[in-house]
Amino acid sequence: MASGRSITLALEIDWLSRLFSVDMGIDLGTCNTLVCVRGEGIVLNEPSVVAVRKGTNIVLNNGEAVGFAAKDMLGKTPGSISAVRPLKDGVISDFAVTEAMLGYFIKKVNGKSTRIFGPRVVIAIPSGITSVEKQAVYESAERAGARRVYLVHEPMAAAIGAGLPVAEPTASMIVDIGGGTSEIAIISLAAIAECESLRVAGDDFDEAIANHMKRVHGLLIGEQTAERIKIEIGSAAPTGPEMKMDVRGRDMKSGLPRKIEVTSQEIREALSEPVGLIAEAVVRVLEKAKPELAADLVDNGITIAGGGALLRGIDKVFHQATGLDVKIADEPLSCVARGTSNYLENLDLFKDTLESDADSV
Ligand code: ADP
Ligand code: MG
């Protein structure tokens, strides 16, 4: 009876706390930051970009030139300001800029909340960041008004968001291909059994395309053009009919604007090196797995999340490399954010096995 009453009490406290405060899951990605609020879904999805005065770490507009606002400013006053992606390589390159970014996003979401207490926040962080960097994320979120802060490793959040049975005594494998890093992990019983954080991901696909254009066509193209080529005609393995696309850039010899036509075959070749490096890392993580976990994966297969999961044929490449079934998570770009939100709802499940907050990291 007593335990029944304490469960009821716990449920009431949980209900009351939700009335007064909001629960927020944040995917602090190298390319995009997403915020998922319990009961509301994804409420913010902006680039992890900050506009600073060139050569400084001073965030423009009193710390508000973040996300879309930063991108807008870049277009208008290109000379004196520059864009910073503070987590570009999965490590925090500048603490002040990261804090400004995280604080801005938390306030932007919580500002709309009429609740009287600060939010409870779960932040998914790249698994390669150090304990000093974790502490910085934790403190930044507190300074931005969070009442309670929890950190969760990105591949765990991705696996939860992809709906994998992470808490069960069976192995799940997730490959989260973001912009700056690819996070590969095998998870069982709500803990990461094996993982690797590789600094080869979507940005490297873009770079490989830009290098190919330079080397083969003598054409200089910008990062955004390279990304557009990847999204429009890029592939890791042949999937459907081959495609073509007009690409504009600057001719290296004449210095003048030029347009050429590129094919999906040549882009696939250009992408083969970075794609191959990720496939090799997937194999490495599998080779480290204990036999029991490896056995589970014969049935459970591999799930891919993150923006890189949208590269055509990437599942085929991983299947060829491992022999396992490979599937793409539903809505791969928002997996981590949904996973962090879900993590908060099931804190009890993860309490003993995951860092509950930065005090313990
Ligand atoms: P992060 O978690 O590091 O912020 P995301 O999971 O948001 O990264 O993924 C961003 C990456 O996904 C970028 O490199 C982007 O170019 C890539 N991306 C987005 N859409 C597609 C697509 N349709 N095809 C291939 N790559 C894509
Ligand atoms: Mg990510």
Side-chain angles (χ1 to χ4, degrees), residues 163-230:
L164 300 181
V166 293
E168 283 168 30
T170 183
S172 298
M173 184 164 194
I174 186 90
V175 183
D176 175 5
I177 307 172
T181 58
S182 293
E183 309 259 343
I184 304 157
I186 297 174
I187 296 169
S188 175
L189 290 169
I192 292 178
E194 302 295 340
C195 74
E196 186 169 329
S197 178
L198 186 75
R199 286 190 199 173
V200 178
D203 291 342
D204 301 271
F205 298 162
D206 303 346
E207 203 182 305
I209 293 173
N211 286 340
H212 167 86
M213 298 305 286
K214 227 189 301 184
R215 210 183 51 245
V216 177
H217 300 288
L219 194 75
L220 293 173
I221 61 167
E223 281 169 28
Q224 281 169 16
T225 305
E227 186 185 27
R228 215 168 46 240
I229 298 171
K230 171 181 74 178

Side-chain angles (χ1 to χ4, degrees), residues 29-32 154 177-179 202-203 227 230-231 306-308 310-311 333:
T30 67
C31 264
N32 302 298
E154 195 173 330
I177 307 172
D203 291 342
E227 186 185 27
K230 171 181 74 178
I231 292 174
L310 295 168
L311 184 69
L333 280 158

Side-chain angles (χ1 to χ4, degrees), residues 328-348:
I328 314 280
D330 288 339
E331 299 186 43
L333 280 158
S334 63
C335 257
V336 171
R338 286 182 283 110
T340 50
S341 181
N342 198 301
Y343 172 86
L344 249 185
E345 284 172 43
N346 296 289
L347 219 48
D348 285 349

Side-chain angles (χ1 to χ4, degrees), residues 271-286:
L271 291 175
S272 67
E273 192 191 334
V275 167
L277 289 172
I278 301 174
E280 280 170 23
V282 171
V283 171
R284 262 199 310 277
V285 172
L286 274 170

